[in-house]
């Protein structure tokens, strides 16, 4: 097959035990098209694409490629037809190198007794030239930032000879610059290949796609030309209601300094300074946005504030008390709240029930345990209260938290952290991968906390999020705060320059 | 397993049950008792019905013994001192049944028989042989655990060797296990490398050491065995100069007869050359190695033991002083 | 000097069974399967290994051929049992730890039962003798330490670089590493995760079987149902010692065996402390070495112990 | 999916499992010319036929369940403790030492002292792998295997040396075993003519204790969190290293208690071979029991049944003793496989769809 001129998924139905994930879904993608697929978390977008890749077997329906019915039972079949997919959760083996990851799928490199690595490298170079995508073939995946991994995923998919590209939320973890680059890249690539593009960010969808389908609860609720609809139309179609992202536009007095970092240095595992003479002060009631390209020390910063990592020099003051190199529990008890980057395994204990997760930090609290004996009633009541207050969607709070969708997991974490009435909150990528409804909810909660006088350090890669919510914006580069700007007057351009390490002062 | 004798259930038949920790064909401790019972069966045709249970951990032995009692067995032998408590307690509960265990020198209650192989005597003989045929005067002992039967045999060996050549060097090493054949082989190899030319060893693991000596078919490396069964093995034929065994047949015969006569126990049977508890044999195939001098010396020693049992002061041996 | 040479010359062959089984277990674990049944597979390998020369090839000029047939049969049975284990933990997705214990019981028991039935009590066999490498074995000291062993010793040590090569240079090794770390990624590239795991289990089982056959045919030259005596578990432990790296596993096996041969030599020299403390030495040494080694790089195959199911969410 | 289908599915899986067990076992049984049918009949029915055998089953399930409860604590904190055998051995040593040292203490106090000392001994032996894992990242799979061997050597050393029964020395039999414990500390027999002892009550007490500890206290909550997700626990301010160590201490202590109870209830002195096999069997029981006291108690009974029943086959049917292990192994393999299949909703769904599709046609 030289070219994919049309791909049609017809009446696809897929059930998982106890739920119907896809219900009679039909979509069609033509040559030269970028087809956008949008929908809330859990709508079934990824499931549909996995059916297309042959990873899931659908219960009903069929796939028609260039007018011919095909049957995919394994990704080998779909690769054979030239369909490639960049998965939502990157399918890269962390302890293999870039070229090994690519060789894993590149059957031509599988010589009898030896892997033909030269072939793999030349293939990587060929693709790199063709699409202007440069990756280091010898780097290990775990060494790469999320943005770089994203590129590797693309290169991998292209090396395997994709003539049709599926991109499942490729931008959710990228910085603004990276997103812009990727969109440009996809636009040029589209001249050669049709694509399906999944994203929660309607701006990207508008910019990139020709056609658009909206999935809700496993059904296509809308399908049409992207250009005919505005972002807010699409948002309304998607969620069934009007969505407006809240903004921080309320003047207020800040309190005293709640968190002060003075000349902090942290060595990374790989030897260099992950945090380099970092200074930062945040007041009560202030939202300090931390902008920066991922991998510039944001995670280390969040960890040291919460006692999860030792510092190698400097001081950290929390409400005028030293907290550097103390234990997490001391810091928690002093009133620190933390929304971690990895919500699935760090923010919750996946096998614990929702109600248990809601008291992860408060189990020793008299409210929930009396002389170490747990008070189940209090825990249940607490869970019911928070479930209602934070709109956590679950059958009941005794279910294990790991079974929740990403957005609901984030709500559980947020509910726990806010209910503890912290004096300060560190929020890391709080809306990564969440749909608009969920993001809106979380933003409004953060602003509510600000109103109540809680200082917030908001670490994010989304400039929009930072600019919408922050009072001040600090820009981090190579572990050092470049500059702190008032959010009112800051421009995207200026922040972008600082993030890239250009400092005019 | 059970080997029911041809005789039907009648007054003349005594039912004997054996409980062993290893297997009845281990060419060592357990097999000796098994063979003894079979021999007794032959000597008293139709009078003994016999069943055994193998691989009995202490707790399993309790179940098995109780089952045997329930099945009407007259004599239950727990072949190992680890069964002592079990036997004593059951003897208390079931006064009509005879229980036996060994090694033990204690005289137990009315219905308990103990037996005590004085294996330092066999060790002593092995020591004499080893020291006599050794060319380099360095001997090796491959011990399992330094306790019980093995402790006596090995110390008797040291004394026997010293009685022939007071300056002989004896290397003693223990594997720490009764059944780790491979480690016993490793010990033997290590000792042979260190210059030992005649070895001995006790418990079933010793077969591993015996096998290791056979790896030097053309060299003057020899073995003295603790069980006659070793002589019949291929490597025994090749390397085992002599061996002595426990002969339980007399013990069993007398036990059965006593039971028939209404004596349920209350005595201890020491086993030694004096009462025919031991048998000794040379390996004819290796007769070049030992002259009639040695045979005479051994015979003399045996008659010495017969006249003078319990004369080997095995407790005096301190391995660290060797 | 002799003392040290002897320790080395014995320690090296002692390490072979551990080395082979441990490398086999490393292949299992690299592919994501934790096989505690190693001990049992070794027992079966040892039994089948000795059964062939025992039953068909005793004595005669062709004995060597039957010995090698025995070794091959031991490895084949090991591979077969690895596949059986695969059916339990891959096809049926049973929990691996407990299934491994079941496997161990089954194999040790079956080896013992069949042995009792077909052979009887502890049985010795001629086994495989030493192979002195021409010229090299004549070198003073080194010849004795390195070049005067039976042929399987050399082969086992060749397995170390070979398995490094297989793991890191061949397509199959790449697949094994991928399915053990992130099976979903491998699956998304069209690699049949379960097939690769079956293959790895067959390889691991074959090496464990080979290790058993080494014990019965080369080291002990006999068989008894209790002869493996926990070596399979030590082999599993050594995989953790070596952090899934064949070379470090080799150092672990050597450390253990040299300590073993050292303590035996010391015991023979006469000790004035209880011998039990000498017997403990290898075990203590392995723990301490691992505890105080600098290298704590965690390379544990991330998917170790988790059955793969494409449709199931993890 | 209808309820009928679910029941049909489950029963057929169980049926297939039973048939598979019987078939695989009979392959070996036929090979060794044993009577297949009688062998199975004996295993399944003999132990239940009279009170002696039934109590023997319970006697085995006592140490099994105590060890399994301990293993559960470790497992819940993320550690696979395969060192119960060594921990039990050390527990036997310390409790015997205590029993011999405190012989003139009133009975209830004395028993408590002995059991506590057993717990301390086992606890120390559990503490070592715990602290090695928590502080030095030494895999417990390595350390516990090695410590089992080390414990075995300590065991013979003490029974042969410092703790040997003086009578063994004076009478010259020299068997490595301790003096017999005073009758005053023996646990009472519950049924005349059997060995069933009051240790059974301790099992229930400990099971309730573990249930409360793990599921009803904040300590247990934190311990389970540490095991379920180390990262999340650290994030939540839980000192994971502490819980890893403490849970291993508890786990070891339970194995030690199992040792004490065996001494006080069954053997009445420390002898060789008491521990053999309980470590692994305990792990199997813990996992069969779903790592929960409510499952462990029946699982330990079933496993005890299997041990006694399989052991009886050698006397009644005449199969070699090793066959016990073969049958145990097969049963474990089949049950774990079947357990997984029974609970596999995806598979059930798939089969349902297949049937359904056919019906639709
Ligand atoms: N393997 C699975 N087993 C069970 N349920 C599943 C599985 N995969 C997905 N689901 C469920 O199917 C529904 C659709 O999930 P899917 O991942 O396709 O959503 P999505 O639209 O991609 O969401 P997101 O925007 O969060 O990526 C969800 O309710 C999800 O919980
Ligand atoms: N080549 C380099 N020179 C100096 N510092 C570097 C270099 N590469 C990375 N760093 C710093 O090392 C730290 C650790 O990098 P790492 O890739 O672990 O980032 P991260 O915080 O995990 O972010 P992310 O997960 O978003 O990639 C970062 O703070 C980064 O600033
Ligand atoms: Mg998705
Ligand atoms: Mg990173």
């Amino acid at each position: 097959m030289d070219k994919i001129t049309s791909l049609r998924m017809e009446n696809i139905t897929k059930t998982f035990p106890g739920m119907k994930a896809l219900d009679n879904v039909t979509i069609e993608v033509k040559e030269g098209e970028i087809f956008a697929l949008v929908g809330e978390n859990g709508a079934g977008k990824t499931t549909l694409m996995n059916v297309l890749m042959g990873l899931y077997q659908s219960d009903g329906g069929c796939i028609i490629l260039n007018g011919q019915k095909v049957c995919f039972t394994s990704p080998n079949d779909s690769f054979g037809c030239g369909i490639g997919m960049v998965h939502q959760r990157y399918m890269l083996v962390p302890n293999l190198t870039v070229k090994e990851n690519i060789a894993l799928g590149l059957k031509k490199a599988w010589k009898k007794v030896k892997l033909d690595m030269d072939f793999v490298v030349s293939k990587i170079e060929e693709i790199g030239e063709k699409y202007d995508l440069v990756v280091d073939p010898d780097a290990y995946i775990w060494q790469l930032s999320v943005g770089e991994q994203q590129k590797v995923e693309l290169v991998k998919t292209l090396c395997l000879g994709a003539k049709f590209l599926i991109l499942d939320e490729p931008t959710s973890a990228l910085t603004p610059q990276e997103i812009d680059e990727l969109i440009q890249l996809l636009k040029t690539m589209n001249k050669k290949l049709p694509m399906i593009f999944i994203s929660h960010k309607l701006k990207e969808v508008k910019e990139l796609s020709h056609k658009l389908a909206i999935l809700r609860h496993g059904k296509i609720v809308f399908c049409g030309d992207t250009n005919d609809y505005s972002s807010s139309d699409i948002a309304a179609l998607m969620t069934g209601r009007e969505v407006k992202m809240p903004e921080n536009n309320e003047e207020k007095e800040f309190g005293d300094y709640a968190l002060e970092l003075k000349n902090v240095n942290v060595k990374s595992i790989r030897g260099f300074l992950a945090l380099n003479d970092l200074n930062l002060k945040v007041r009560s009631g202030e939202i300090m946005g931390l902008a920066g390209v991922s991998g510039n020390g944001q995670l280390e910063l969040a960890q040291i504030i919460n006692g999860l990592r030792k510092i190698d020099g400097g001081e950290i003051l929390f409400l005028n008390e030293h907290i550097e190199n103390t234990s997490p529990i001391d810091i928690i008890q002093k009133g620190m709240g933390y929304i971690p980057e990895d919500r699935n395994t760090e923010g919750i204990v996946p096998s614990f029930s929702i109600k248990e997760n809601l008291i992860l930090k408060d189990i020793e609290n008299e409210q929930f345990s009396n002389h170490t004996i747990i008070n189940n009633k209090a825990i249940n009541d607490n869970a019911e209260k928070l479930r209602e207050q934070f709109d956590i969607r679950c059958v009941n709070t005794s279910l294990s938290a790991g079974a929740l969708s990403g957005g609901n997991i984030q709500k559980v974490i947020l509910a726990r952290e806010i209910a503890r009435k912290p004096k300060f909150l560190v929020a890391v990528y709080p809306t990564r991968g969440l749909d608009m409804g969920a993001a809106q909810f979380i933003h409004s909660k953060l602003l509510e906390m600000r109103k109540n006088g809680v200082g917030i350090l908001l670490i994010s890669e989304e400039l929009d999020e930072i600019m919408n919510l922050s009072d001040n914006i600090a820009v981090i580069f190579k572990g050092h705060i470049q500059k702190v700007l008032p959010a009112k007057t800051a421009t995207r351009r200026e922040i972008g320059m600082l993030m890239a390490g250009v400092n005019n002062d | 397993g059970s080997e029911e004798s041809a005789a039907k259930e009648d007054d003349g038949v005594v039912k004997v049950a054996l409980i062993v920790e290893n297997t009845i064909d281990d060419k060592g401790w357990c097999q000796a008792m098994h063979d003894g019972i079979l021999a007794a069966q032959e000597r008293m045709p139709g009078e003994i019905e016999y069943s055994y249970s193998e691989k009995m951990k202490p707790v399993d032995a309790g179940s098995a013994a109780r089952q045997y009692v329930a099945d009407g067995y007259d004599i239950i032998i727990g072949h190992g001192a680890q069964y002592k408590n079990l036997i004593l307690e059951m003897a208390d509960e079931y006064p009509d049944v005879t229980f036996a265990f060994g090694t033990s020198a204690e005289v137990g209650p009315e219905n308990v028989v103990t037996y005590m192989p004085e294996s330092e005597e066999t060790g002593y003989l092995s020591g004499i042989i080893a020291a006599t045929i050794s060319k380099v005067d360095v001997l090796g002992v491959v011990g399992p655990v330094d306790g019980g039967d093995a402790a006596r045999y090995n110390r008797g060996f040291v004394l026997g060797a010293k009685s022939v050549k007071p300056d002989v060097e004896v290397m003693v090493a223990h594997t720490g296990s009764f059944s780790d054949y491979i480690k016993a082989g490793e010990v033997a190899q290590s000792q042979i490398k260190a210059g030992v030319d005649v070895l001995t060893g006790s418990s079933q693991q010793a077969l591993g050491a015996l096998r290791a000596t056979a790896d030097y078919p053309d060299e003057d490396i020899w073995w003295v065995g603790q069980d006659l069964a070793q002589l019949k093995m291929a490597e025994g034929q090749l390397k085992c100069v002599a061996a002595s065994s426990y002969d339980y047949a007399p013990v069993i015969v007398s036990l059965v007869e006593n039971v028939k006569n209404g004596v349920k126990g209350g005595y201890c049977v020491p086993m030694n050359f004096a009462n025919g508890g031991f048998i000794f044999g040379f390996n004819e195939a290796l007769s070049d190695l030992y002259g009639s001098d040695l045979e005479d010396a051994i015979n003399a020693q045996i008659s010495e033991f017969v006249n003078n049992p319990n004369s080997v002061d095995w407790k005096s041996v301190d391995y660290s002083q060797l | 000097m002799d003392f040290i040479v002897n320790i080395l010359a014995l320690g090296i062959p002692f390490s072979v069974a551990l080395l082979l089984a441990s490398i086999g277990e490393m292949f299992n674990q690299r592919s994501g399967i934790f096989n505690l049944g190693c001990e049992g597979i070794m027992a079966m390998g040892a039994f089948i290994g000795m059964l062939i020369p025992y039953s068909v090839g005793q004595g005669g000029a062709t004995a060597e051929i039957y010995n090698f047939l025995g070794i091959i049969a031991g490895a084949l049975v090991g591979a077969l049992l690895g596949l059986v284990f695969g059916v339990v933990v891959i096809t049926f997705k049973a929990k691996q730890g407990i299934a491994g214990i079941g496997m161990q019981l089954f194999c040790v028991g079956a080896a013992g039962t069949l042995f009792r039935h077909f052979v009887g009590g502890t049985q010795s066999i001629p086994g495989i003798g030493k192979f002195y490498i021409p010229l090299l074995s004549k070198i003073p000291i080194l010849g004795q330490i390195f070049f005067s062993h039976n042929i399987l010793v050399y082969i086992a040590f060749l397995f170390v670089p070979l398995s490094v090569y297989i793991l890191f240079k061949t397509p199959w090794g790449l697949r094994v590493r991928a399915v053990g770390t992130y099976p979903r990624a491998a699956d998304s590239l069209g690699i049949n995760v379960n097939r690769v795991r079956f293959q790895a289990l067959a390889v691991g089982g074959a090496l464990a079987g080979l290790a058993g056959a080494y014990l019965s045919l080369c080291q002990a030259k006999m068989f008894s149902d209790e002869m493996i005596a926990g070596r399979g578990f030590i082999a599993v432990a050594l995989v953790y010692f070596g952090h899934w790296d064949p070379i470090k596993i080799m150092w672990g096996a050597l450390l253990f065996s040299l300590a073993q041969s050292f303590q035996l030599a010391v015991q023979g020299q006469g000790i004035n402390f209880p011998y039990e403390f000498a017997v403990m030495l290898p075990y203590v040494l392995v723990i301490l070495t691992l505890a105080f080694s600098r290298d704590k790089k965690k390379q544990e195959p991330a998917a170790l112990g988790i059955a793969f199911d494409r449709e199931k969410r993890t | 999916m209808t309820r009928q289908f679910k029941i049909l599915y489950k029963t057929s899986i169980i049926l297939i499992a039973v048939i598979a067990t019987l078939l695989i076992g009979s392959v070996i049984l036929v090979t060794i010319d044993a009577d297949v049918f009688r062998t199975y009949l004996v295993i399944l029915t003999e132990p239940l036929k009279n009170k002696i055998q039934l109590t023997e089953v319970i006697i085995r399930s006592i140490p099994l369940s105590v060890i399994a409860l301990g293993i559960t604590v470790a497992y819940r904190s993320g550690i696979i403790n395969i060192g119960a055998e060594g921990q039990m051995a050390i527990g036997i040593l310390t409790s015997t030492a205590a029993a011999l040292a405190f012989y003139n203490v009133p009975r209830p106090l004395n028993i408590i002292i002995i059991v506590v000392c057993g717990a301390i001994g086992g606890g120390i032996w559990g503490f070592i792998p715990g602290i090695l894992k928590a502080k030095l990242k030494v895999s417990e799979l390595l350390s516990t295997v090695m410590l089992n061997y080390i414990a075995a050597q300590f065991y013979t050393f003490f029974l042969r040396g410092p703790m040997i029964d003086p009578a063994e020395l004076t009478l010259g039999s020299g068997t490595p075993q301790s003096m017999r414990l005073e009758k005053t500390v023996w646990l009472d027999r519950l049924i005349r003519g059997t060995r069933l002892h009051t240790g059974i009550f301790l099992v229930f007490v400990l099971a309730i204790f573990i249930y409360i500890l793990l599921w009803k206290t904040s300590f247990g909550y934190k311990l389970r969190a540490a095991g379920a997700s180390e990262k999340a626990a650290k994030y939540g301010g839980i000192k994971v290293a502490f819980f890893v160590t403490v849970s291993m201490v508890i786990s070891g202590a339970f194995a030690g208690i199992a040792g004490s109870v065996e001494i006080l209830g069954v053997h009445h002195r420390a002898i060789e071979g008491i521990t053999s096999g309980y470590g692994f069997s305990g792990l199997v029981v813990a996992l069969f029991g779903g790592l929960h006291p409510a499952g462990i108690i029946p699982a330990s009974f079933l496993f005890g049944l299997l041990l006694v029943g399989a052991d009886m086959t050698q006397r009644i049917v005449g199969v070699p003793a090793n066959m016990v292990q073969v049958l145990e192994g097969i049963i474990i393999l089949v049950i774990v496989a079947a357990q997984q299949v029974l609970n596999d909703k995806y598979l059930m769904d798939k089969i349902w769809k297949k049937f359904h599709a056919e019906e639709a046609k």
Side-chain angles (χ1 to χ4, degrees), chain D residues 179-211:
Chain D
M179 235 161 77
R180 188 154 83 158
L181 308 191
E182 293 291 322
K183 279 216 164 101
T184 55
V185 299
W186 294 13
L187 296 179
D188 291 327
R189 297 266 150 103
L190 285 176
I191 301 175
R192 262 193 65 78
T194 72
R195 296 197 288 175
L196 183 62
H197 54 83
T198 47
I200 179 92
F201 299 122
L202 187 65
V203 171
F204 291 105
V205 172
L206 292 177
I208 293 168
F209 170 74
I210 288 296
Y211 174 69

Side-chain angles (χ1 to χ4, degrees), chain C residues 284-313:
Chain C
V284 175
L285 207 60
V286 165
I287 297 185
L288 290 183
T289 311
L290 187 59
F292 295 107
S293 59
R294 287 259 126 253
D295 180 35
K296 292 279 159 51
K297 230 186 337 182
K298 258 243 173 234
Q299 299 195 30
E300 177 160 358
L304 184 59
I306 304 163
F308 176 68
D309 189 330
R310 198 185 255 175
E311 299 231 328
K312 229 175 260 180
R313 275 204 296 195

Side-chain angles (χ1 to χ4, degrees), chain A residues 42 45-47 88 168-169 198 200:
Chain A
K45 306 178 290 293
T46 303
T47 306
Q88 181 171 7
D168 192 355
E169 297 193 33
I198 299 177
H200 290 296

